[in-house]
Amino acid sequence: LVKMPGLVVGKVLECEKVANKDKLKKLLVDIGGEENIQVVTNAPNVVEGSNVIVATIGSKVQVDGEEVEVKEATVGGEKSQGMLCDSVMLGWTGGGAGNAALVPDTFSPGDTPPEKRPRMDGKTTEAAQEEPAPLSAKEKRKAAKEAKKSAKD
């Protein structure tokens, strides 16, 4: 990932279609600041609750190999105060161009985006601590053996 200042994790609070525009969605995004921002996107994979990577106003992103400064713009008649990044802009492997780069709920609004595309299957260090994976038969025997041993001591 090219370290790009101005890129932050954002949580999509609201997602609604832009009137009379087939592909555009108007999002209300929490980027960890005082106020939420409005971003207009055509990324098909964004829904309410998505954790996205937002290029904030004044940041620079790579679009088709050129560095572009993100400015407040009007897209489809709606104000857009930033831009969602796709995997290509972030230099991540995997994830299609045009699809918003998503991160799991272990990231909070305002966080710095990860350098590589994170796993989205919910396997996080926190979840692993809450619910241990089911033990295999071999692990169960080992645990039973250790329990017996410690009972003797």
Side-chain angles (χ1 to χ4, degrees):
L1 170 74
V2 189
K3 280 277 178 238
M4 292 183 271
L7 297 191
V8 295
V9 173
K11 176 96 164 165
V12 177
L13 304 176
E14 293 173 14
C15 176
E16 57 186 66
K17 288 180 100 48
V18 173
N20 305 320
K21 301 288 177 202
D22 282 354
K23 296 186 170 150
L24 292 180
K25 297 175 183 177
K26 179 173 75 172
L27 311 175
L28 184 67
V29 185
D30 176 359
I31 57 168
E34 297 270 312
E35 293 185 15
N36 299 326
I37 63 168
Q38 181 170 299
V39 178
V40 177
T41 184
N42 62 359
N45 63 328
V46 177
V47 295
E48 205 168 288
S50 294
N51 292 308
V52 294
I53 309 296
V54 180
T56 57
I57 292 171
S59 62
K60 292 181 170 47
V61 292
Q62 293 286 329
V63 179
D64 301 327
E66 289 183 42
E67 193 171 80
V68 178
E69 184 177 332
V70 178
K71 296 182 169 79
E72 184 167 310
T74 301
V75 182
E78 297 286 351
K79 183 169 70 167
S80 189
Q81 300 166 296
M83 183 177 183
L84 298 191
C85 297
D86 64 13
S87 292
V88 178
M89 286 179 186
L90 297 168
W92 291 359
T93 51
N99 275 334
L102 302 177
V103 295
D105 284 336
T106 48
F107 289 88
S108 300
D111 282 359
T112 302
E115 291 192 19
K116 294 190 181 88
R117 192 171 107 158
R119 290 175 62 148
M120 291 299 292
D121 57 11
K123 291 191 175 150
T124 64
T125 48
E126 290 168 40
Q129 289 164 359
E130 289 167 27
E131 294 175 44
L135 296 176
S136 68
K138 186 177 177 183
E139 290 168 321
K140 282 180 185 164
R141 286 194 299 272
K142 186 178 173 190
K145 213 178 209 177
E146 284 173 9
K148 270 186 189 168
K149 190 177 171 196
S150 63
K152 283 181 191 168
D153 293 343

mmCIF file of all heavy atoms in Angstrom, residues 89-139:
data_model
loop_
_atom_site.group_PDB
_atom_site.id
_atom_site.type_symbol
_atom_site.label_atom_id
_atom_site.label_comp_id
_atom_site.label_asym_id
_atom_site.label_seq_id
_atom_site.Cartn_x
_atom_site.Cartn_y
_atom_site.Cartn_z
ATOM 1 N N MET A 89 -6.751 1.132 -6.111
ATOM 2 C CA MET A 89 -6.222 2.404 -5.594
ATOM 3 C C MET A 89 -5.313 2.179 -4.397
ATOM 4 O O MET A 89 -4.372 2.934 -4.176
ATOM 5 C CB MET A 89 -7.362 3.318 -5.125
ATOM 6 C CG MET A 89 -8.158 3.950 -6.194
ATOM 7 S SD MET A 89 -9.418 4.929 -5.343
ATOM 8 C CE MET A 89 -10.374 5.473 -6.722
ATOM 9 N N LEU A 90 -5.633 1.144 -3.605
ATOM 10 C CA LEU A 90 -4.883 0.881 -2.378
ATOM 11 C C LEU A 90 -3.676 -0.011 -2.619
ATOM 12 O O LEU A 90 -2.875 -0.228 -1.713
ATOM 13 C CB LEU A 90 -5.806 0.230 -1.340
ATOM 14 C CG LEU A 90 -6.983 1.095 -0.897
ATOM 15 C CD1 LEU A 90 -7.977 0.262 -0.117
ATOM 16 C CD2 LEU A 90 -6.506 2.269 -0.066
ATOM 17 N N GLY A 91 -3.592 -0.563 -3.823
ATOM 18 C CA GLY A 91 -2.491 -1.473 -4.117
ATOM 19 C C GLY A 91 -2.684 -2.846 -3.488
ATOM 20 O O GLY A 91 -1.748 -3.601 -3.311
ATOM 21 N N TRP A 92 -3.959 -3.183 -3.136
ATOM 22 C CA TRP A 92 -4.244 -4.504 -2.555
ATOM 23 C C TRP A 92 -4.374 -5.516 -3.676
ATOM 24 O O TRP A 92 -4.791 -5.184 -4.776
ATOM 25 C CB TRP A 92 -5.566 -4.479 -1.790
ATOM 26 C CG TRP A 92 -5.579 -3.678 -0.543
ATOM 27 C CD1 TRP A 92 -4.558 -2.965 0.018
ATOM 28 C CD2 TRP A 92 -6.711 -3.473 0.312
ATOM 29 N NE1 TRP A 92 -4.979 -2.353 1.172
ATOM 30 C CE2 TRP A 92 -6.284 -2.640 1.374
ATOM 31 C CE3 TRP A 92 -8.029 -3.918 0.285
ATOM 32 C CZ2 TRP A 92 -7.139 -2.259 2.400
ATOM 33 C CZ3 TRP A 92 -8.876 -3.530 1.299
ATOM 34 C CH2 TRP A 92 -8.443 -2.716 2.346
ATOM 35 N N THR A 93 -4.040 -6.774 -3.373
ATOM 36 C CA THR A 93 -4.298 -7.834 -4.341
ATOM 37 C C THR A 93 -5.690 -8.377 -4.049
ATOM 38 O O THR A 93 -6.115 -8.416 -2.902
ATOM 39 C CB THR A 93 -3.267 -8.979 -4.209
ATOM 40 O OG1 THR A 93 -3.219 -9.365 -2.836
ATOM 41 C CG2 THR A 93 -1.891 -8.534 -4.656
ATOM 42 N N GLY A 94 -6.388 -8.767 -5.092
ATOM 43 C CA GLY A 94 -7.759 -9.259 -4.928
ATOM 44 C C GLY A 94 -8.723 -8.098 -4.791
ATOM 45 O O GLY A 94 -8.321 -6.972 -4.526
ATOM 46 N N GLY A 95 -9.995 -8.375 -5.005
ATOM 47 C CA GLY A 95 -10.999 -7.308 -4.932
ATOM 48 C C GLY A 95 -11.015 -6.579 -6.254
ATOM 49 O O GLY A 95 -9.985 -6.139 -6.738
ATOM 50 N N GLY A 96 -12.161 -6.491 -6.872
ATOM 51 C CA GLY A 96 -12.242 -5.931 -8.219
ATOM 52 C C GLY A 96 -12.183 -4.422 -8.229
ATOM 53 O O GLY A 96 -12.560 -3.756 -7.275
ATOM 54 N N ALA A 97 -11.717 -3.890 -9.348
ATOM 55 C CA ALA A 97 -11.764 -2.445 -9.569
ATOM 56 C C ALA A 97 -13.227 -2.046 -9.612
ATOM 57 O O ALA A 97 -14.063 -2.765 -10.162
ATOM 58 C CB ALA A 97 -11.069 -2.104 -10.872
ATOM 59 N N GLY A 98 -13.547 -0.925 -9.004
ATOM 60 C CA GLY A 98 -14.937 -0.472 -9.016
ATOM 61 C C GLY A 98 -15.723 -0.935 -7.806
ATOM 62 O O GLY A 98 -16.724 -0.339 -7.458
ATOM 63 N N ASN A 99 -15.271 -2.018 -7.164
ATOM 64 C CA ASN A 99 -15.895 -2.453 -5.911
ATOM 65 C C ASN A 99 -15.178 -1.735 -4.781
ATOM 66 O O ASN A 99 -13.956 -1.662 -4.783
ATOM 67 C CB ASN A 99 -15.742 -3.959 -5.697
ATOM 68 C CG ASN A 99 -16.825 -4.749 -6.387
ATOM 69 O OD1 ASN A 99 -17.919 -4.250 -6.618
ATOM 70 N ND2 ASN A 99 -16.525 -5.992 -6.711
ATOM 71 N N ALA A 100 -15.934 -1.227 -3.826
ATOM 72 C CA ALA A 100 -15.298 -0.555 -2.696
ATOM 73 C C ALA A 100 -14.464 -1.562 -1.911
ATOM 74 O O ALA A 100 -14.883 -2.700 -1.718
ATOM 75 C CB ALA A 100 -16.360 0.060 -1.787
ATOM 76 N N ALA A 101 -13.281 -1.124 -1.482
ATOM 77 C CA ALA A 101 -12.442 -1.957 -0.618
ATOM 78 C C ALA A 101 -13.122 -1.989 0.750
ATOM 79 O O ALA A 101 -13.451 -0.950 1.303
ATOM 80 C CB ALA A 101 -11.052 -1.358 -0.515
ATOM 81 N N LEU A 102 -13.360 -3.180 1.268
ATOM 82 C CA LEU A 102 -14.051 -3.335 2.550
ATOM 83 C C LEU A 102 -13.101 -3.891 3.598
ATOM 84 O O LEU A 102 -12.191 -4.656 3.276
ATOM 85 C CB LEU A 102 -15.245 -4.279 2.405
ATOM 86 C CG LEU A 102 -16.306 -3.886 1.379
ATOM 87 C CD1 LEU A 102 -17.392 -4.945 1.295
ATOM 88 C CD2 LEU A 102 -16.919 -2.537 1.712
ATOM 89 N N VAL A 103 -13.325 -3.523 4.849
ATOM 90 C CA VAL A 103 -12.557 -4.086 5.955
ATOM 91 C C VAL A 103 -13.533 -4.597 7.008
ATOM 92 O O VAL A 103 -14.665 -4.120 7.095
ATOM 93 C CB VAL A 103 -11.565 -3.056 6.574
ATOM 94 C CG1 VAL A 103 -10.493 -2.665 5.569
ATOM 95 C CG2 VAL A 103 -12.267 -1.828 7.097
ATOM 96 N N PRO A 104 -13.114 -5.585 7.817
ATOM 97 C CA PRO A 104 -14.030 -6.157 8.818
ATOM 98 C C PRO A 104 -14.286 -5.207 9.994
ATOM 99 O O PRO A 104 -13.646 -4.158 10.109
ATOM 100 C CB PRO A 104 -13.303 -7.427 9.280
ATOM 101 C CG PRO A 104 -11.863 -7.189 8.969
ATOM 102 C CD PRO A 104 -11.817 -6.266 7.789
ATOM 103 N N ASP A 105 -15.213 -5.596 10.860
ATOM 104 C CA ASP A 105 -15.629 -4.773 11.998
ATOM 105 C C ASP A 105 -14.556 -4.584 13.056
ATOM 106 O O ASP A 105 -14.761 -3.865 14.018
ATOM 107 C CB ASP A 105 -16.875 -5.378 12.672
ATOM 108 C CG ASP A 105 -18.121 -5.099 11.843
ATOM 109 O OD1 ASP A 105 -18.119 -4.126 11.066
ATOM 110 O OD2 ASP A 105 -19.091 -5.862 11.966
ATOM 111 N N THR A 106 -13.403 -5.238 12.873
ATOM 112 C CA THR A 106 -12.307 -5.019 13.821
ATOM 113 C C THR A 106 -11.707 -3.636 13.612
ATOM 114 O O THR A 106 -10.947 -3.157 14.438
ATOM 115 C CB THR A 106 -11.215 -6.086 13.643
ATOM 116 O OG1 THR A 106 -10.909 -6.189 12.255
ATOM 117 C CG2 THR A 106 -11.678 -7.437 14.156
ATOM 118 N N PHE A 107 -12.045 -2.994 12.485
ATOM 119 C CA PHE A 107 -11.584 -1.628 12.217
ATOM 120 C C PHE A 107 -12.670 -0.655 12.637
ATOM 121 O O PHE A 107 -13.846 -0.932 12.459
ATOM 122 C CB PHE A 107 -11.283 -1.442 10.725
ATOM 123 C CG PHE A 107 -10.056 -2.181 10.284
ATOM 124 C CD1 PHE A 107 -10.141 -3.495 9.862
ATOM 125 C CD2 PHE A 107 -8.808 -1.575 10.314
ATOM 126 C CE1 PHE A 107 -9.008 -4.193 9.471
ATOM 127 C CE2 PHE A 107 -7.671 -2.264 9.926
ATOM 128 C CZ PHE A 107 -7.768 -3.568 9.506
ATOM 129 N N SER A 108 -12.260 0.486 13.185
ATOM 130 C CA SER A 108 -13.208 1.503 13.622
ATOM 131 C C SER A 108 -13.096 2.721 12.724
ATOM 132 O O SER A 108 -12.038 2.959 12.140
ATOM 133 C CB SER A 108 -12.899 1.932 15.052
ATOM 134 O OG SER A 108 -12.992 0.825 15.906
ATOM 135 N N PRO A 109 -14.177 3.514 12.653
ATOM 136 C CA PRO A 109 -14.120 4.741 11.857
ATOM 137 C C PRO A 109 -12.945 5.614 12.282
ATOM 138 O O PRO A 109 -12.689 5.780 13.470
ATOM 139 C CB PRO A 109 -15.458 5.423 12.172
ATOM 140 C CG PRO A 109 -16.371 4.287 12.511
ATOM 141 C CD PRO A 109 -15.508 3.298 13.236
ATOM 142 N N GLY A 110 -12.209 6.112 11.291
ATOM 143 C CA GLY A 110 -11.059 6.959 11.563
ATOM 144 C C GLY A 110 -9.744 6.200 11.605
ATOM 145 O O GLY A 110 -8.680 6.815 11.583
ATOM 146 N N ASP A 111 -9.807 4.862 11.657
ATOM 147 C CA ASP A 111 -8.571 4.071 11.679
ATOM 148 C C ASP A 111 -7.804 4.235 10.368
ATOM 149 O O ASP A 111 -8.382 4.514 9.323
ATOM 150 C CB ASP A 111 -8.875 2.572 11.847
ATOM 151 C CG ASP A 111 -9.206 2.182 13.276
ATOM 152 O OD1 ASP A 111 -9.186 3.062 14.153
ATOM 153 O OD2 ASP A 111 -9.503 0.992 13.501
ATOM 154 N N THR A 112 -6.503 3.994 10.432
ATOM 155 C CA THR A 112 -5.681 3.948 9.224
ATOM 156 C C THR A 112 -5.989 2.634 8.515
ATOM 157 O O THR A 112 -6.050 1.585 9.161
ATOM 158 C CB THR A 112 -4.186 3.989 9.624
ATOM 159 O OG1 THR A 112 -3.977 5.183 10.366
ATOM 160 C CG2 THR A 112 -3.282 3.975 8.402
ATOM 161 N N PRO A 113 -6.185 2.669 7.194
ATOM 162 C CA PRO A 113 -6.474 1.415 6.478
ATOM 163 C C PRO A 113 -5.296 0.443 6.557
ATOM 164 O O PRO A 113 -4.151 0.866 6.664
ATOM 165 C CB PRO A 113 -6.680 1.873 5.027
ATOM 166 C CG PRO A 113 -6.867 3.350 5.085
ATOM 167 C CD PRO A 113 -6.184 3.837 6.315
ATOM 168 N N PRO A 114 -5.581 -0.855 6.501
ATOM 169 C CA PRO A 114 -4.502 -1.846 6.537
ATOM 170 C C PRO A 114 -3.700 -1.817 5.235
ATOM 171 O O PRO A 114 -4.194 -1.362 4.208
ATOM 172 C CB PRO A 114 -5.247 -3.177 6.690
ATOM 173 C CG PRO A 114 -6.594 -2.921 6.110
ATOM 174 C CD PRO A 114 -6.899 -1.477 6.375
ATOM 175 N N GLU A 115 -2.472 -2.339 5.290
ATOM 176 C CA GLU A 115 -1.616 -2.325 4.105
ATOM 177 C C GLU A 115 -2.014 -3.379 3.093
ATOM 178 O O GLU A 115 -1.776 -3.233 1.908
ATOM 179 C CB GLU A 115 -0.157 -2.534 4.518
ATOM 180 C CG GLU A 115 0.363 -1.339 5.282
ATOM 181 C CD GLU A 115 1.867 -1.362 5.461
ATOM 182 O OE1 GLU A 115 2.562 -2.079 4.723
ATOM 183 O OE2 GLU A 115 2.342 -0.643 6.349
ATOM 184 N N LYS A 116 -2.602 -4.482 3.584
ATOM 185 C CA LYS A 116 -3.032 -5.555 2.680
ATOM 186 C C LYS A 116 -4.523 -5.768 2.857
ATOM 187 O O LYS A 116 -5.081 -5.412 3.888
ATOM 188 C CB LYS A 116 -2.326 -6.872 3.042
ATOM 189 C CG LYS A 116 -0.846 -6.877 2.815
ATOM 190 C CD LYS A 116 -0.328 -8.300 2.970
ATOM 191 C CE LYS A 116 1.169 -8.381 2.777
ATOM 192 N NZ LYS A 116 1.921 -8.166 4.011
ATOM 193 N N ARG A 117 -5.128 -6.376 1.878
ATOM 194 C CA ARG A 117 -6.555 -6.645 1.971
ATOM 195 C C ARG A 117 -6.803 -7.609 3.131
ATOM 196 O O ARG A 117 -6.244 -8.704 3.167
ATOM 197 C CB ARG A 117 -7.030 -7.279 0.661
ATOM 198 C CG ARG A 117 -8.531 -7.321 0.565
ATOM 199 C CD ARG A 117 -8.916 -7.755 -0.813
ATOM 200 N NE ARG A 117 -9.418 -9.116 -0.698
ATOM 201 C CZ ARG A 117 -10.223 -9.674 -1.576
ATOM 202 N NH1 ARG A 117 -10.562 -9.035 -2.656
ATOM 203 N NH2 ARG A 117 -10.655 -10.884 -1.403
ATOM 204 N N PRO A 118 -7.628 -7.222 4.118
ATOM 205 C CA PRO A 118 -7.851 -8.096 5.277
ATOM 206 C C PRO A 118 -8.838 -9.211 4.947
ATOM 207 O O PRO A 118 -9.592 -9.131 3.980
ATOM 208 C CB PRO A 118 -8.446 -7.145 6.315
ATOM 209 C CG PRO A 118 -9.106 -6.076 5.510
ATOM 210 C CD PRO A 118 -8.342 -5.952 4.223
ATOM 211 N N ARG A 119 -8.819 -10.249 5.777
ATOM 212 C CA ARG A 119 -9.801 -11.333 5.631
ATOM 213 C C ARG A 119 -11.158 -10.798 6.046
ATOM 214 O O ARG A 119 -11.279 -10.088 7.025
ATOM 215 C CB ARG A 119 -9.422 -12.505 6.531
ATOM 216 C CG ARG A 119 -8.181 -13.214 6.053
ATOM 217 C CD ARG A 119 -7.776 -14.279 7.022
ATOM 218 N NE ARG A 119 -8.815 -15.293 7.138
ATOM 219 C CZ ARG A 119 -8.586 -16.570 7.389
ATOM 220 N NH1 ARG A 119 -7.367 -16.993 7.552
ATOM 221 N NH2 ARG A 119 -9.570 -17.429 7.497
ATOM 222 N N MET A 120 -12.182 -11.169 5.288
ATOM 223 C CA MET A 120 -13.524 -10.676 5.590
ATOM 224 C C MET A 120 -14.407 -11.783 6.161
ATOM 225 O O MET A 120 -15.605 -11.628 6.277
ATOM 226 C CB MET A 120 -14.181 -10.125 4.316
ATOM 227 C CG MET A 120 -13.548 -8.842 3.813
ATOM 228 S SD MET A 120 -13.636 -7.461 4.974
ATOM 229 C CE MET A 120 -15.403 -7.147 4.981
ATOM 230 N N ASP A 121 -13.793 -12.923 6.521
ATOM 231 C CA ASP A 121 -14.610 -14.055 6.979
ATOM 232 C C ASP A 121 -14.902 -13.996 8.473
ATOM 233 O O ASP A 121 -15.407 -14.947 9.053
ATOM 234 C CB ASP A 121 -13.948 -15.380 6.617
ATOM 235 C CG ASP A 121 -12.536 -15.494 7.179
ATOM 236 O OD1 ASP A 121 -12.154 -14.649 8.017
ATOM 237 O OD2 ASP A 121 -11.822 -16.418 6.773
ATOM 238 N N GLY A 122 -14.562 -12.862 9.082
ATOM 239 C CA GLY A 122 -14.895 -12.709 10.494
ATOM 240 C C GLY A 122 -13.910 -13.388 11.424
ATOM 241 O O GLY A 122 -14.078 -13.364 12.630
ATOM 242 N N LYS A 123 -12.882 -14.023 10.878
ATOM 243 C CA LYS A 123 -11.901 -14.680 11.744
ATOM 244 C C LYS A 123 -10.959 -13.614 12.257
ATOM 245 O O LYS A 123 -10.047 -13.193 11.565
ATOM 246 C CB LYS A 123 -11.142 -15.755 10.973
ATOM 247 C CG LYS A 123 -12.037 -16.907 10.633
ATOM 248 C CD LYS A 123 -11.275 -18.087 10.102
ATOM 249 C CE LYS A 123 -12.251 -19.237 9.916
ATOM 250 N NZ LYS A 123 -11.920 -20.131 8.876
ATOM 251 N N THR A 124 -11.235 -13.155 13.462
ATOM 252 C CA THR A 124 -10.410 -12.105 14.052
ATOM 253 C C THR A 124 -9.817 -12.628 15.331
ATOM 254 O O THR A 124 -10.273 -13.634 15.872
ATOM 255 C CB THR A 124 -11.267 -10.865 14.383
ATOM 256 O OG1 THR A 124 -12.207 -11.245 15.381
ATOM 257 C CG2 THR A 124 -11.984 -10.336 13.168
ATOM 258 N N THR A 125 -8.843 -11.936 15.836
ATOM 259 C CA THR A 125 -8.213 -12.371 17.076
ATOM 260 C C THR A 125 -9.211 -12.277 18.224
ATOM 261 O O THR A 125 -9.232 -13.127 19.102
ATOM 262 C CB THR A 125 -6.976 -11.512 17.388
ATOM 263 O OG1 THR A 125 -7.345 -10.150 17.242
ATOM 264 C CG2 THR A 125 -5.845 -11.829 16.444
ATOM 265 N N GLU A 126 -10.098 -11.265 18.196
ATOM 266 C CA GLU A 126 -11.075 -11.127 19.275
ATOM 267 C C GLU A 126 -12.035 -12.313 19.308
ATOM 268 O O GLU A 126 -12.274 -12.897 20.331
ATOM 269 C CB GLU A 126 -11.908 -9.853 19.092
ATOM 270 C CG GLU A 126 -11.131 -8.586 19.324
ATOM 271 C CD GLU A 126 -11.905 -7.373 18.858
ATOM 272 O OE1 GLU A 126 -13.125 -7.326 19.077
ATOM 273 O OE2 GLU A 126 -11.283 -6.478 18.263
ATOM 274 N N ALA A 127 -12.572 -12.663 18.135
ATOM 275 C CA ALA A 127 -13.549 -13.759 18.066
ATOM 276 C C ALA A 127 -12.902 -15.063 18.527
ATOM 277 O O ALA A 127 -13.536 -15.877 19.181
ATOM 278 C CB ALA A 127 -14.082 -13.902 16.646
ATOM 279 N N ALA A 128 -11.630 -15.232 18.195
ATOM 280 C CA ALA A 128 -10.935 -16.457 18.577
ATOM 281 C C ALA A 128 -10.861 -16.584 20.096
ATOM 282 O O ALA A 128 -10.938 -17.680 20.631
ATOM 283 C CB ALA A 128 -9.540 -16.482 17.976
ATOM 284 N N GLN A 129 -10.741 -15.458 20.786
ATOM 285 C CA GLN A 129 -10.668 -15.521 22.241
ATOM 286 C C GLN A 129 -12.040 -15.810 22.849
ATOM 287 O O GLN A 129 -12.144 -16.517 23.825
ATOM 288 C CB GLN A 129 -10.136 -14.205 22.798
ATOM 289 C CG GLN A 129 -8.656 -14.020 22.503
ATOM 290 C CD GLN A 129 -8.214 -12.594 22.689
ATOM 291 O OE1 GLN A 129 -8.996 -11.716 23.017
ATOM 292 N NE2 GLN A 129 -6.941 -12.338 22.437
ATOM 293 N N GLU A 130 -13.087 -15.274 22.230
ATOM 294 C CA GLU A 130 -14.424 -15.474 22.797
ATOM 295 C C GLU A 130 -14.889 -16.914 22.627
ATOM 296 O O GLU A 130 -15.377 -17.529 23.533
ATOM 297 C CB GLU A 130 -15.433 -14.545 22.103
ATOM 298 C CG GLU A 130 -15.242 -13.091 22.468
ATOM 299 C CD GLU A 130 -16.026 -12.182 21.551
ATOM 300 O OE1 GLU A 130 -17.051 -12.636 21.006
ATOM 301 O OE2 GLU A 130 -15.609 -11.033 21.377
ATOM 302 N N GLU A 131 -14.757 -17.426 21.409
ATOM 303 C CA GLU A 131 -15.252 -18.772 21.135
ATOM 304 C C GLU A 131 -14.115 -19.623 20.614
ATOM 305 O O GLU A 131 -13.739 -19.502 19.460
ATOM 306 C CB GLU A 131 -16.320 -18.726 20.040
ATOM 307 C CG GLU A 131 -17.576 -18.007 20.437
ATOM 308 C CD GLU A 131 -18.528 -17.910 19.250
ATOM 309 O OE1 GLU A 131 -18.685 -18.917 18.547
ATOM 310 O OE2 GLU A 131 -19.073 -16.836 19.046
ATOM 311 N N PRO A 132 -13.582 -20.505 21.455
ATOM 312 C CA PRO A 132 -12.514 -21.358 20.940
ATOM 313 C C PRO A 132 -13.070 -22.292 19.873
ATOM 314 O O PRO A 132 -14.228 -22.691 19.932
ATOM 315 C CB PRO A 132 -12.037 -22.129 22.171
ATOM 316 C CG PRO A 132 -13.077 -21.937 23.217
ATOM 317 C CD PRO A 132 -13.878 -20.734 22.846
ATOM 318 N N ALA A 133 -12.248 -22.601 18.902
ATOM 319 C CA ALA A 133 -12.672 -23.517 17.839
ATOM 320 C C ALA A 133 -12.949 -24.870 18.473
ATOM 321 O O ALA A 133 -12.321 -25.235 19.481
ATOM 322 C CB ALA A 133 -11.570 -23.634 16.802
ATOM 323 N N PRO A 134 -13.890 -25.630 17.912
ATOM 324 C CA PRO A 134 -14.161 -26.958 18.488
ATOM 325 C C PRO A 134 -12.879 -27.802 18.468
ATOM 326 O O PRO A 134 -12.121 -27.736 17.519
ATOM 327 C CB PRO A 134 -15.226 -27.547 17.560
ATOM 328 C CG PRO A 134 -15.505 -26.543 16.509
ATOM 329 C CD PRO A 134 -14.692 -25.322 16.759
ATOM 330 N N LEU A 135 -12.680 -28.543 19.537
ATOM 331 C CA LEU A 135 -11.472 -29.368 19.636
ATOM 332 C C LEU A 135 -11.618 -30.616 18.781
ATOM 333 O O LEU A 135 -12.699 -31.207 18.703
ATOM 334 C CB LEU A 135 -11.234 -29.789 21.090
ATOM 335 C CG LEU A 135 -10.946 -28.677 22.099
ATOM 336 C CD1 LEU A 135 -10.841 -29.260 23.493
ATOM 337 C CD2 LEU A 135 -9.676 -27.941 21.746
ATOM 338 N N SER A 136 -10.533 -31.025 18.187
ATOM 339 C CA SER A 136 -10.531 -32.287 17.445
ATOM 340 C C SER A 136 -10.497 -33.410 18.489
ATOM 341 O O SER A 136 -10.211 -33.188 19.660
ATOM 342 C CB SER A 136 -9.300 -32.373 16.544
ATOM 343 O OG SER A 136 -8.135 -32.499 17.352
ATOM 344 N N ALA A 137 -10.763 -34.639 18.034
ATOM 345 C CA ALA A 137 -10.754 -35.795 18.941
ATOM 346 C C ALA A 137 -9.383 -35.916 19.615
ATOM 347 O O ALA A 137 -9.290 -36.162 20.817
ATOM 348 C CB ALA A 137 -11.081 -37.072 18.176
ATOM 349 N N LYS A 138 -8.329 -35.706 18.846
ATOM 350 C CA LYS A 138 -6.969 -35.800 19.372
ATOM 351 C C LYS A 138 -6.753 -34.746 20.465
ATOM 352 O O LYS A 138 -6.201 -35.039 21.523
ATOM 353 C CB LYS A 138 -5.968 -35.610 18.234
ATOM 354 C CG LYS A 138 -4.535 -35.837 18.629
ATOM 355 C CD LYS A 138 -3.621 -35.689 17.424
ATOM 356 C CE LYS A 138 -2.168 -35.854 17.818
ATOM 357 N NZ LYS A 138 -1.282 -35.644 16.668
ATOM 358 N N GLU A 139 -7.210 -33.496 20.199
ATOM 359 C CA GLU A 139 -7.045 -32.422 21.182
ATOM 360 C C GLU A 139 -7.855 -32.712 22.446
ATOM 361 O O GLU A 139 -7.419 -32.415 23.554
ATOM 362 C CB GLU A 139 -7.476 -31.077 20.582
ATOM 363 C CG GLU A 139 -6.513 -30.563 19.508
ATOM 364 C CD GLU A 139 -7.077 -29.392 18.721
ATOM 365 O OE1 GLU A 139 -8.288 -29.380 18.411
ATOM 366 O OE2 GLU A 139 -6.309 -28.483 18.420
#
